[in-house]
Amino acid sequence: MASVPELIRRKRDGETLGADELRELIEHYTDGDLPDYQMSAFLMAVYFQSMDADELAVWTDAMLHSGEVLDLSSIAGSKIDKHSTGGVGDKVSIVLAPLAVAAGLKVPMISGRGLGHTGGTLDKLESIPGFDVDQSARRFRELVDEVGAALIGQTDDIAPADRELYSLRDVTGTVECIPLIASSIMSKKLAEGIDGLVLDVKVGSGAFMKSLEEARELGRTMIEIGRSMETDVRALVTDMDQPLGRTVGNALEISEAIDALRGDGPDDLVEVTVSLVTEMLDAAEGVDDREATRRRLRGWLEDGTALEAFREMVEAQDGDPAVCDAPDDVLAEADYIELFEADRAGIIRSMDAQEIGLASVELGAGRMEKTDDIDPAVGLAFRCKRGDLVEPGEPLLEIHYNDHSNLAACRRRLARSIEIGNDLDEAPPLIFERLSQP
Ligand code: URA
């Protein structure tokens, strides 16, 4: 291999590196033969100089093949996953997976945990008593084959290069870099053995990508990686400027997802979910009449078909299926509920999703460090959203909490996050745009 300092210098100076050079960097790093300080310098060079499409395809492929790549080809049906770039109140996967199964798709989904202001699907699922997200690769295949969907955590064998690189990026200021984010996400997703992937690229105050331009670039970069690996990848860019739905917090979000699976979900959650499943179906089999597909999907939320698919998923992963019938009896509830009230009359102009996510972390609903414990019962339940008119003293939301010592910090963040004014700027669309391969 070329000398590593030489590769770092060439990337630093904006050169394009060759496929063998990039592969060797990943291989040596994963084998422990390349020290963190050299990889850190290389990542920082990528942060400033980026990678072109060919470099990124090779880099992602090397990360993908640093571990096990699942082969689901013997399972009948189209295997299509969805991935969200992360947000606040984002319980879409919990509604989407059973709805997609009801629509005839197979959904092999390897999800993540919450970190910082964003929540994670695994933490939400674990608030269902017994639900086991730690499944072997063999059981993952069985679940996809027999139940239609599996929602599990990343195993040690999937894309180990990403695990190492992500930890290093976390402490070297190189997380916020589109090629590194795109290769990180895609290496894990493509290891699932999928036929297609629909990305929910979130944009706004609660998202990684704060501007539409950045979100578009991230979406396009991941789609291009998919194209280089002959996998159908497409994206919806969706609003994360306020939390999605009515709740933030693990058990609260499961309860809200079950409402949606019973046909009684909040409009934004249902709209984003139905739109993403329509894209999944389009990736699998082509959709001629999108409106008819959307109506069918909404019908399966309303007539209980999707809820039955969820019940099977919960049972198959050892969760208590009674959560589908009486979530309030099964899910943990916080000991205390306090109201957070409007301090003036007016219209809710904005709800900073990042601050709201952090307010829920103050209660224990999320974690700032990977090793932090979370409390499944705590969180926030909104009674108002952006654009609503409010009176002074009117409850804007409920704070569900267990520990009095967390409340003041949570309230301070909420006070900063919700802006009440006299008028409203034009509301951003819920779905900004659809991106697909040319
Ligand atoms: N999520 C990932 O999996 N990787 C990143 O780099 C950022 C978000």
Side-chain angles (χ1 to χ4, degrees), residues 51 84 123 149 198 202 206 221 228 255 301 311 327 352 367 374 422 434:
M51 281 186 181
S84 159
D123 298 322
V198 176
K202 301 282 188 201
T221 306
S228 75
S255 182
L301 290 175
R311 185 191 305 277
D352 182 323
R367 49 174 84 77
I374 61 160
N422 297 327
R434 177 171 171 258

Side-chain angles (χ1 to χ4, degrees), residues 93-95 97-98 107 109-113 120-135 139-140 143-144 147-154 250-251 254 257-258 261 307-324 330-332 374 376:
S93 293
I94 293 150
V95 188
V107 186
M109 192 180 272
I110 298 181
S111 299
R113 296 200 177 272
T121 299
L122 299 181
D123 298 322
K124 293 172 207 199
L125 288 168
E126 283 181 345
S127 66
I128 301 173
F131 198 103
D132 188 358
V133 299
D134 296 319
Q135 306 283 345
R139 182 68 185 138
F140 181 70
L143 288 166
V144 173
V147 182
L151 276 77
I152 71 164
Q154 194 179 349
N250 298 289
I254 289 289
I258 290 170
L261 288 165
L307 184 65
E308 284 318 300
F310 185 62
R311 185 191 305 277
E312 275 190 44
M313 287 167 50
V314 171
E315 265 177 337
Q317 292 194 227
D318 300 321
D320 184 349
V323 74
C324 298
V330 172
L331 297 169
I374 61 160

Side-chain angles (χ1 to χ4, degrees), residues 166 169 180-181 184-185 188 208:
Y166 194 86
R169 287 168 54 209
L180 297 179
I181 296 173
S184 163
I185 292 173
K188 286 177 289 212
F208 253 116

